[in-house]
Amino acid sequence: MHNHSDLLVVGSGILGLATAFLAHEQGQSVRVIDGEDRPVGSSIQNFGHACFTGQADLVQGVADRARAGWQRAAAQAGFWAAESGTYIPAMTEAEQQVLHEFAEHRGAGQVTLLSGAEVAESIGNPDLQAVSGAHLPRDMRVNPREAAPALARWLSGQGVEFAWGTRVTAVADGVAQTSRGEYTASRIVVCPGYGLRDLFPTLAEKHGIRTCTLVMSLIDRPRRVPADLALLTGTSLTRYDGFTAMPSAQALRRELAEREPELVDCIANLMVTGIEGGLLIGDSHAYATSPEPFIDERIGNLLLDRSTQLLGIDSPMIGQRWLGRYADSSSTNLVLERPDERTTVAVVTSGIGMTLSFGIAELALTGGDVPGF
Ligand SMILES: Cc1cc2nc3c(=O)[nH]c(=O)nc-3n(C[C@H](O)[C@H](O)[C@H](O)COP(=O)(O)OP(=O)(O)OC[C@H]3O[C@@H](n4cnc5c(N)ncnc54)[C@H](O)[C@@H]3O)c2cc1C
């Protein structure tokens, strides 16, 4: 039947595309439906940072499978994916202490401690006065503006059907009702990101789904700063579950509240990644079910100021500002629900969906247990 496939995926963000990719690898016939005419959701608005190492110990298995999925997808679809790792300068003793504990906990294969001079050199600002630093060699980088669109294009060339501009209005028992008629499938995996509230309002309420908005900027990249840069900072050490499990994370939280109250107030995870066309700078976090559409210029400037200080950029040239969005829940990092035997709903509800996408897609397809989310 023309409108039937083995697998139907709702959503062409990275989670939907990773699911389509894995099912296609298994030889299933796959159709992807998206309300937009190309990927424009969270998956292109982010840093393109696959921060496997910073995730909780319990999800390291999922992170490993996600990493392998990124490697296969990039090799086959031909998009840029760098295994350049993450750099974290320790600017204070408190930051250094968390990094030392993390290195001790995870071991040399996952965390390499660096001198202040080494980390400064690696991020392209030899003048940075860091106390010390760390490199997380397993982390990866992609260009978020390239990866999902390239994967969608490649899958389409491989025979995966794409129904763009088609809004799904209901899904149950192998049938998807859409703005362009009905589609059927043996299984349906629904990955609507922050669109979950429209499609499954009861599930969204159950998990307290809200939208997180993040102030982001793209600035020109000086040639001395690597295009594959991934730079985390002290605020990141109080955010990702892997770091926050360290004994000294609480002390760092207190130190940051005194030293950088403005960053703490806007719930910043100050970080920078490089892409060929510039440096992606962010981010702050604000939570609402119906968020304000406005970009707070003071927050944008604060993040710009602190990040360019670390990189030694005196007069940043701003190319773009945007308010990124992702689905959030205060009670879980992942919604993986099976409302009926043929339907799986998968939504990453914190800012780690690029990192874990291929690992979560595998869980969505296999029905595997969800450890530690
Ligand atoms: C500023 C920012 C920075 C981030 N940084 C990182 C990072 O460095 N590392 C990391 O791991 N993660 C990061 N994230 C999080 C990450 O981007 C998301 O977790 C991930 O992209 C979610 O992917 P998704 O496929 O679930 O959602 P999306 O990319 O939003 O895709 C959902 C798709 O579903 C479609 N859709 C929704 N409802 C319907 C419907 N009813 N009918 C048809 N189509 C529908 C939408 O059109 C959309 O294309 C960041 C996010 C933001 C916003």
Side-chain angles (χ1 to χ4, degrees):
M1 206 168 42
H2 180 61
N3 279 358
H4 186 85
S5 52
D6 294 334
L7 177 73
L8 183 66
V9 177
V10 179
S12 70
I14 198 59
L15 197 48
L17 293 172
T19 307
F21 176 80
L22 297 185
H24 171 70
E25 276 188 330
Q26 295 165 1
Q28 298 188 45
S29 64
V30 183
R31 172 177 281 111
V32 180
I33 302 183
D34 200 292
E36 305 292 342
D37 66 6
R38 64 194 191 286
V40 290
S42 308
S43 302
I44 69 152
Q45 301 167 7
N46 61 63
F47 289 98
H49 182 216
C51 180
F52 307 114
T53 318
Q55 306 311 316
D57 290 358
L58 275 173
V59 300
Q60 285 302 307
V62 178
D64 284 346
R65 290 193 290 285
R67 188 172 192 274
W70 272 115
Q71 286 169 325
R72 291 200 308 284
Q76 292 187 44
F79 59 82
W80 178 73
E83 299 188 28
S84 42
T86 302
Y87 289 95
I88 315 175
M91 300 307 293
T92 65
E93 298 291 329
E95 292 178 357
Q96 172 170 264
Q97 183 59 26
V98 175
L99 288 180
H100 279 189
E101 288 168 3
F102 192 59
E104 172 88 0
H105 178 68
R106 286 288 177 84
Q110 290 203 25
V111 186
T112 311
L113 291 175
L114 303 174
S115 68
E118 283 170 331
V119 76
E121 187 71 39
S122 303
I123 67 168
N125 179 20
D127 295 334
L128 182 71
Q129 296 300 308
V131 177
S132 65
H135 182 229
L136 315 180
R138 288 178 55 73
D139 291 354
M140 287 176 64
R141 286 296 328 290
V142 295
N143 180 342
R145 291 142 186 243
E146 179 206 12
L151 185 52
R153 250 191 329 271
W154 182 80
L155 286 169
S156 171
Q158 296 292 304
V160 170
E161 298 277 344
F162 278 80
W164 296 108
T166 303
R167 191 137 292 276
V168 176
T169 51
V171 175
D173 299 320
V175 181
Q177 311 286 347
T178 82
S179 52
R180 295 178 193 271
E182 202 172 273
Y183 291 87
T184 61
S186 308
R187 290 194 54 195
I188 303 184
V189 177
V190 186
C191 309
Y194 51 83
L196 179 69
R197 279 208 323 274
D198 295 335
L199 211 43
F200 285 94
T202 316
L203 271 187
E205 268 163 36
K206 174 179 160 192
H207 293 285
I209 300 299
R210 48 197 190 167
T211 302
C212 177
T213 50
L214 307 87
V215 176
M216 297 286 292
S217 310
L218 174 72
I219 65 165
D220 286 359
R221 177 174 60 83
R223 289 170 68 92
R224 64 182 162 77
V225 178
D228 59 7
L229 174 73
L231 171 69
L232 295 184
T233 68
T235 52
S236 321
L237 299 177
T238 61
R239 188 154 186 95
Y240 295 101
D241 292 345
F243 307 129
T244 60
M246 296 302 104
S248 294
Q250 270 310 330
L252 174 58
R253 229 181 263 284
R254 286 192 295 274
E255 191 234 32
L256 277 168
E258 283 202 2
R259 179 163 54 93
E260 285 285 11
E262 288 173 292
L263 286 181
V264 173
D265 275 354
C266 68
I267 321 179
N269 171 14
L270 181 69
M271 60 179 282
V272 182
T273 58
I275 54 174
E276 199 48 47
L279 295 172
L280 301 165
I281 286 178
D283 56 22
S284 54
H285 297 81
Y287 304 96
T289 41
S290 298
E292 292 285 338
F294 312 112
I295 295 178
D296 186 329
E297 201 54 21
R298 282 165 310 178
I299 292 180
N301 288 337
L302 172 71
L303 296 167
L304 199 61
D305 176 66
R306 298 303 194 270
S307 56
T308 52
Q309 267 177 33
L310 286 171
L311 291 169
I313 300 171
D314 293 332
S315 310
M317 282 295 296
I318 304 170
Q320 295 174 346
R321 295 261 212 213
W322 66 102
L323 205 52
R325 287 177 172 223
Y326 64 69
D328 177 83
S329 159
S330 59
S331 57
T332 181
N333 289 334
L334 174 67
V335 172
L336 190 59
E337 291 265 2
R338 298 193 171 82
D340 63 61
E341 270 187 12
R342 291 180 172 209
T343 310
T344 302
V345 177
V347 178
V348 183
T349 48
S350 75
I352 55 175
M354 288 293 274
T355 304
L356 295 181
S357 46
F358 286 87
I360 289 168
E362 198 176 301
L363 293 176
L365 284 174
T366 59
D369 275 347
V370 183
F373 285 95

